[in-house]
Amino acid sequence: MPMRFVLDRLFRRERLDHSMEEELRFHMAERAADLQRSGVPIAEAERRAQLEFGGIENYKEQCRETRSFHGIHSFFADLRFGFRMLWRSPGFSILAILCLTLGIGANAAVFSWIEGILFRPYPAVAHQERLFALTGTARGDPDDTDLSWPDFLDLQRSCTLVDSFIVTKITGTTLSIGDRAEVTTGSIVSANYFDAIGVRPILGRGFEPGEDSGRSAHPLTVISYQLWQGRFKGDPQIIGKTQRLNGVLHTIVGVAPKGFYGTFVGWAMQFWVPASMEEIFEAGGYKLEDRGARWIEAYARLKPGVTREQAQQEIAAVARRLEKDYPDTNRGRSIKLWPLWQTPFNNAKTLLSTLEIMLAVVVFVLLIACANVGNLLLVRSFARRHEMTVRLAIGARRGRLVRQLVTEGLILAAFGAAGGLLVAHWWRHALVLLLPARGGVAMHLAGEIDWRVLALSAGVCLIATLLLGLVPALQTRDLDVAGALKAESAGVVGSGRRAWIRSGLVVMQVSLSFVLIVGAGLLLQSLQRIRNSSPGFSTHEVLDTTVNLVAAGYDPQRAQNFQDELLDRVKALPGVESAAFARMTPLSYGSFSSTPIAVDGYQSPPDEQPIVQYNEVGPDYFVTMGIPLVSGREFSRADDEKSVLVAIVNETMAAKYWGGRNPIGERVQVKGRWMQVVGVAKNSKYQSVRETPKPFFYVPLRQNFARGPGLNIRTRLSPEAMTAALTREVHAIDRNLALFEVITLQEQVDRSTSPQLVAVTLVGVLSGLALLLAAIGLYGVMSYAVSQSTRELGLRMALGATPSHLLRLVMSRGLALTAAGIVGGTAAALASTRLLGYLLYNVSPRDPMSFGSAFVVIMVASLAACFLPAWRATRTDPLQALRD
């Protein structure tokens, strides 16, 4: 086809129509002339010719349908007409678009969180689909563990299906010393880190082979773009300059590109140091040559075309060889690959359950929004019945009407999608607002709106279009051209198929809202019970803080002298009952040390290696924390490096390894050294409020000295008052030291349960939105029913019905829909709330209080939604209604 004809048919339709009309009139004139020549009068000949051709407009439409590109012209015509119809009803259009914006926006926001936190959490990292997390496992232990550096090196040498293994262990330092310490997060990484993930520094270089080996042999660092711009003011000569990290001067060798935040979900890394500097940043001494020291978090990038199952088989084979070659440290141990969205050692796993629930919740909200708009379209389509009937009467096909209504739904969904993506863009950082900063460092949990999120949102838009456009469009099948112009009046109870569809959509909205409100109630109760349950130690009268001596350059002896002096000063403060140092604070993000053990008289299974976590604590730790001792004694200052090595075990460890015997005086071997058990402590929570009791033991801080332990203080003073007093005492010893934040252990418990808080907040907000949409839908149906039943209401009043009778009549109709929705919602909630699973704590998924509260909330909202239409029904003028 010549290009001129293509252009004419696409962009010069008026010229073609004019030419076609002239040709049709010519043929009609010729036919009239033929009739005249056969003796028919002129007027009659013209009339017969017009009847034979069937009318110019009808014939023109038939000709248009035979043209190429007719579908395109028809679609644009439908769009223009749809825009005109929506513009004529601005109230309807705005309400419909608002409902869709909220529904699609909530879905797009959750899609962006899932993309940016679970599936592709590391901006600027290439080929994340081939990146998998790597952890250790121990037979008989359900928890995952870290890897040792020697095991990591063996994996690098032995695996052929893996492109590269990388180490990235979160750490931190203090970059400024003043009245308050400024904590900065960073990573200890393998030398191949930047090359393996495809990130090229914009200044300088990454780490070179061999710079991750040797004991503190390579004090080098790559800093983030944010740190370079903020602390160093974008200095172009930054390469080669030094920065003190944890008391050691590090040479800056590179600046990471803008937008790269590292490979840890939850915090943006500000610096990276090679693994050779591990001893400077990790407690417990030099670990690069200790196969039993499991401290690294690692990833494996698979070669193209290799599946996770294939790589897992090869890695497991290497782990079996290591188990055979090194039975003392690797007995019962293996290594496991995890997809990024299940990574055990960052916040991906923490937020996985919350995001799974949110995905189901926003689908419910979208369905409610679509049901609401569908009801609006049904009401509007009834108002346009006369228009549709006329169009059918003059020859329009029903398919064309369906296409027009679907096009109007498409316009609404397109505007809703645009607004929804804008809402998602605003909300993509919302999760950070719900998660508290730790140690003064705010979390980094950005949603990612990339082409995948856009494509998924477009799919949601398409589904919404089908839901919105087809429901009213299908009603055109019932149009009776002969009887459509007859007056129609529906009863308050509703009649006909349209009333049932409208009512069914409202029932669905109420049901889904009921399910969401029940879920919000269950999560709220669970959060309250978690935060009010006893973790095994005092929470309200114990404060926690830290003084970073490592960053200040303190050597071990100087640090010990400082701790002794500060402890004496703190205990002398008014209002302080006791104080004690400990390397780790329970329920904090950091991990406790773990070690293989051997117990006198206990024979472990041949394929298992007992590994138990422990904490290094100072004198008076148990009385300060409020952890009761079942038997034995606390540690004292006499338990130092010169005395007999001692330990205190918890009840679970005593029961597992000593059975019914009293372990006091018994021995346990830790890292090749025998320790004597001097006490048994009550069980408490260590890493999670939800954890089941597990073996745990404590060793004296003086026998396992650490320069940066936390300080726990039992006092009735507020954190603010204690902060001022502690700052004064710290500066009295050393003016250059800074104090970290002072918080209660209850605040520590609250921070550890922040994923539950996120779930409660988001489900609560979206449940409120769903309830509002459901109430609007119920109000709309009842208002429409009242407006369509004016004659019936007038007749009832004329026959003696009182306003209170009409009020009860309308209210009962609305409450009947609500009751049906609650019944359906109850059944759905009983089946679905068990999926809350991990997020519920000591709360039954069928908790009667949550179901009862949801019932009350739904009923109050329904009464409010039905009252105004019912009150308007009581104001009906019977004379006016019967006259109309």
Side-chain angles (χ1 to χ4, degrees):
M1 181 183 297
M3 181 59 65
R4 181 172 61 86
F5 291 104
V6 173
L7 294 177
D8 284 345
R9 294 189 178 191
L10 278 176
F11 304 109
R12 298 172 183 174
R13 188 183 179 194
E14 293 78 8
R15 177 186 298 179
L16 289 176
D17 283 350
H18 181 70
S19 175
M20 179 174 59
E21 184 174 351
E22 288 182 348
E23 184 176 353
L24 286 172
R25 291 188 183 278
F26 170 78
H27 286 295
M28 290 178 67
E30 287 294 317
R31 177 57 179 159
D34 289 342
L35 292 173
Q36 290 178 38
R37 284 191 291 269
S38 63
V40 179
I42 296 177
E44 179 64 18
E46 291 178 349
R47 188 182 72 83
R48 288 185 182 181
Q50 188 170 5
L51 288 175
E52 288 181 12
F53 277 85
I56 292 179
E57 292 302 322
N58 187 34
Y59 208 83
K60 282 167 63 178
E61 183 64 25
Q62 295 178 21
C63 292
R64 289 190 193 108
E65 291 180 358
T66 63
R67 291 181 188 169
S68 302
F69 308 111
H70 172 71
I72 297 176
H73 287 301
S74 177
F75 174 71
F76 282 108
D78 289 340
L79 277 181
R80 289 192 297 270
F81 185 77
F83 275 113
R84 286 200 302 270
M85 295 303 297
L86 295 176
W87 182 259
R88 291 177 185 175
S89 306
F92 157 78
S93 302
I94 291 173
L95 182 59
I97 291 172
L98 179 61
C99 291
L100 287 176
T101 295
L102 294 175
I104 296 177
N107 277 266
V110 172
F111 295 159
S112 74
W113 295 338
I114 292 174
E115 180 76 1
I117 295 173
L118 300 182
F119 292 145
R120 286 171 181 81
Y122 308 131
V125 174
H127 303 296
Q128 294 185 52
E129 70 279 359
R130 292 195 278 125
L131 198 63
F132 293 86
L134 197 67
T135 68
T137 64
R139 203 170 289 120
D141 185 356
D143 296 328
D144 300 293
T145 63
D146 296 333
L147 296 174
S148 69
W149 184 259
D151 284 351
F152 170 78
L153 295 180
D154 280 320
L155 285 174
Q156 280 189 319
R157 288 189 290 263
S158 304
C159 292
T160 61
L161 299 179
V162 176
D163 204 4
S164 55
F165 289 96
I166 60 173
V167 168
T168 169
K169 176 62 182 289
I170 187 172
T171 187
T173 189
T174 302
L175 287 184
S176 63
I177 302 297
D179 290 337
R180 184 171 178 81
E182 295 180 6
V183 183
T184 299
T185 54
S187 286
I188 303 170
V189 300
S190 51
N192 68 337
Y193 178 75
F194 290 100
D195 291 335
I197 61 177
V199 172
R200 301 288 180 267
I202 58 173
L203 291 178
R205 63 175 177 85
F207 301 121
E208 295 179 349
E211 290 181 342
D212 55 3
S213 61
R215 187 168 188 171
S216 304
H218 302 282
L220 309 172
T221 183
V222 175
I223 62 174
S224 70
Y225 181 89
Q226 295 75 23
L227 186 63
W228 177 52
Q229 290 292 321
R231 183 174 179 81
F232 300 103
K233 311 302 179 186
D235 181 7
Q237 307 300 321
I238 190 65
I239 304 303
K241 294 185 178 181
T242 59
Q243 171 63 52
R244 188 174 294 277
L245 303 174
N246 269 16
V248 176
L249 284 175
H250 286 66
T251 301
I252 298 173
V253 297
V255 177
K258 183 179 181 180
F260 175 65
Y261 303 103
T263 47
F264 192 95
V265 174
W267 280 279
M269 299 297 106
Q270 300 299 321
F271 69 92
W272 295 264
V273 295
S276 57
M277 305 305 295
E278 167 271 328
E279 189 175 13
I280 303 300
F281 295 90
E282 281 279 309
Y286 182 61
K287 303 186 183 74
L288 264 62
E289 297 175 1
D290 185 355
R291 194 173 292 273
R294 307 189 185 280
W295 62 278
I296 66 172
E297 295 163 354
Y299 291 96
R301 181 188 294 284
L302 307 189
K303 290 183 177 179
V306 176
T307 66
R308 181 164 70 98
E309 291 73 19
Q310 292 171 330
Q312 178 65 69
Q313 291 178 2
E314 183 179 51
I315 289 172
V318 174
R320 287 192 295 269
R321 178 176 62 79
L322 295 177
E323 182 180 12
K324 180 181 178 181
D325 294 345
Y326 306 100
D328 291 341
T329 57
N330 289 54
R331 181 156 43 100
R333 303 195 61 83
S334 187
I335 301 171
K336 184 176 180 179
L337 281 176
W338 300 85
L340 290 183
W341 56 277
Q342 289 183 321
T343 302
F345 48 75
N346 60 35
N347 287 283
K349 185 176 182 179
T350 304
L351 293 171
L352 175 59
S353 298
T354 298
L355 292 176
E356 286 176 339
I357 291 171
M358 291 312 305
L359 187 59
V361 168
V362 293
V363 170
F364 280 15
V365 171
L366 179 64
L367 289 175
I368 292 172
C370 289
N372 224 345
V373 179
N375 255 334
L376 291 173
L377 286 171
L378 280 172
V379 171
R380 191 164 174 271
S381 67
F382 184 82
R384 293 173 61 186
R385 290 190 71 204
H386 184 76
E387 169 206 335
M388 298 294 178
T389 303
V390 171
R391 292 177 67 179
L392 285 174
I394 62 175
R397 291 189 298 273
R398 293 181 187 269
R400 182 61 186 272
L401 299 184
V402 170
R403 192 169 68 234
Q404 176 61 51
L405 292 173
V406 171
T407 301
E408 292 180 18
L410 176 63
I411 295 172
L412 290 175
F415 276 107
L421 289 175
L422 185 61
V423 169
H425 179 76
W426 290 337
W427 288 358
R428 70 188 189 282
H429 296 299
L431 286 182
V432 177
L433 303 177
L434 303 176
L435 293 164
R438 297 189 180 188
V441 181
M443 297 193 73
H444 177 81
L445 290 168
E448 181 71 20
I449 301 181
D450 57 10
W451 68 268
R452 300 173 187 83
V453 174
L454 293 176
L456 199 55
S457 299
V460 169
C461 175
L462 179 61
I463 294 173
T465 300
L466 295 176
L467 291 175
L468 300 179
L470 289 181
V471 173
L474 292 177
Q475 303 305 302
T476 60
R477 296 180 306 173
D478 300 331
L479 285 178
D480 179 8
V481 177
L485 298 180
K486 296 179 181 179
E488 179 176 321
S489 177
V492 175
V493 175
S495 61
R497 182 177 177 185
R498 292 180 184 83
W500 281 111
I501 293 177
R502 291 193 300 270
S503 299
L505 290 175
V506 170
V507 169
M508 183 189 76
Q509 288 177 282
V510 173
S511 297
L512 295 177
S513 300
F514 185 85
V515 173
L516 294 183
I517 295 172
V518 169
L522 290 172
L523 292 173
L524 180 60
Q525 283 199 71
S526 178
L527 179 65
Q528 290 175 338
R529 295 190 183 185
I530 285 178
R531 294 190 167 181
N532 293 332
S533 64
S534 173
F537 52 81
S538 301
T539 57
H540 292 287
E541 296 182 357
V542 181
L543 303 179
D544 176 72
T545 188
T546 303
V547 180
N548 196 331
L549 302 178
V550 176
Y554 274 55
D555 58 37
Q557 185 58 53
R558 187 184 175 198
Q560 184 168 328
N561 294 338
F562 173 85
Q563 291 175 13
D564 290 342
E565 184 176 355
L566 179 61
L567 201 59
D568 291 337
R569 285 175 173 269
V570 171
K571 287 181 177 180
L573 291 174
V576 173
E577 299 177 19
S578 63
F581 281 103
R583 191 183 74 82
M584 280 295 301
T585 301
L587 306 182
S588 62
Y589 179 77
S591 56
F592 290 96
S593 300
S594 62
T595 180
I597 65 167
V599 177
D600 267 349
Y602 177 81
Q603 186 65 40
S604 62
D607 58 347
E608 287 186 19
Q609 171 65 61
I611 297 176
V612 181
Q613 290 182 322
Y614 65 96
N615 195 8
E616 299 93 337
V617 303
D620 297 328
Y621 174 79
F622 293 93
V623 68
T624 300
M625 296 292 290
I627 301 175
L629 287 180
V630 178
S631 61
R633 65 172 178 86
E634 274 229 47
F635 299 135
S636 67
R637 286 200 174 188
D639 295 316
D640 57 19
E641 65 278 2
K642 299 177 182 179
S643 64
V644 176
L645 300 180
V646 294
I648 295 175
V649 301
N650 71 352
E651 290 179 300
T652 301
M653 183 170 178
K656 180 173 182 178
Y657 295 107
W658 286 279
R661 294 183 293 128
N662 186 351
I664 303 299
E666 300 288 343
R667 296 193 310 163
V668 56
Q669 188 182 59
V670 177
K671 296 183 179 179
R673 302 186 302 172
W674 286 99
M675 297 181 175
Q676 186 181 54
V677 177
V678 297
V680 178
K682 279 282 193 180
N683 290 329
S684 63
K685 305 297 184 180
Y686 307 105
Q687 290 180 306
S688 169
V689 176
R690 301 174 58 89
E691 71 187 12
T692 56
K694 61 182 180 180
F696 195 90
F697 68 97
Y698 306 84
V699 297
L701 184 61
R702 286 174 171 267
Q703 293 180 349
N704 298 265
F705 187 72
R707 287 179 290 169
L711 177 59
N712 304 289
I713 306 168
R714 175 172 286 276
T715 178
R716 295 183 183 274
L717 297 178
S718 66
E720 294 75 19
M722 185 53 63
T723 299
L726 283 173
T727 301
R728 184 174 63 252
E729 298 301 330
V730 168
H731 286 174
I733 304 174
D734 187 341
R735 295 292 305 177
N736 294 321
L737 292 177
L739 193 71
F740 285 87
E741 61 178 350
V742 179
I743 62 171
T744 66
L745 290 186
Q746 182 59 49
E747 175 65 19
Q748 189 66 55
V749 172
D750 293 345
R751 291 180 179 184
S752 72
T753 58
S754 45
Q756 285 82 4
L757 175 62
V758 171
V760 169
T761 304
L762 293 179
V763 173
V765 169
L766 292 175
S767 297
L769 174 61
L771 181 63
L772 176 63
L773 291 174
I776 291 174
L778 181 59
Y779 167 79
V781 166
M782 298 312 302
S783 294
Y784 178 74
V786 169
S787 66
Q788 292 296 308
S789 58
T790 304
R791 290 177 61 83
E792 177 196 345
L793 294 172
L795 181 60
R796 286 176 179 270
M797 294 190 74
L799 294 176
T802 63
S804 61
H805 175 77
L806 296 183
L807 185 71
R808 287 195 302 272
L809 178 66
V810 177
M811 293 287 289
S812 63
R813 167 59 176 162
L815 294 180
L817 294 177
T818 302
I822 290 176
V823 171
T826 301
L830 289 173
S832 62
T833 50
R834 59 186 178 83
L835 300 178
L836 293 175
Y838 176 78
L839 291 177
L840 294 184
Y841 179 78
N842 288 342
V843 176
S844 169
R846 300 182 177 184
D847 177 66
M849 181 177 293
S850 299
F851 279 79
S853 299
F855 174 80
V856 172
V857 170
I858 290 287
M859 288 303 297
V860 170
S862 299
L863 288 171
C866 296
F867 178 77
L868 188 58
W871 178 80
R872 194 169 70 245
T874 65
R875 313 294 294 177
T876 302
D877 182 356
L879 294 179
Q880 182 68 31
L882 293 175
R883 186 181 301 116
D884 294 341

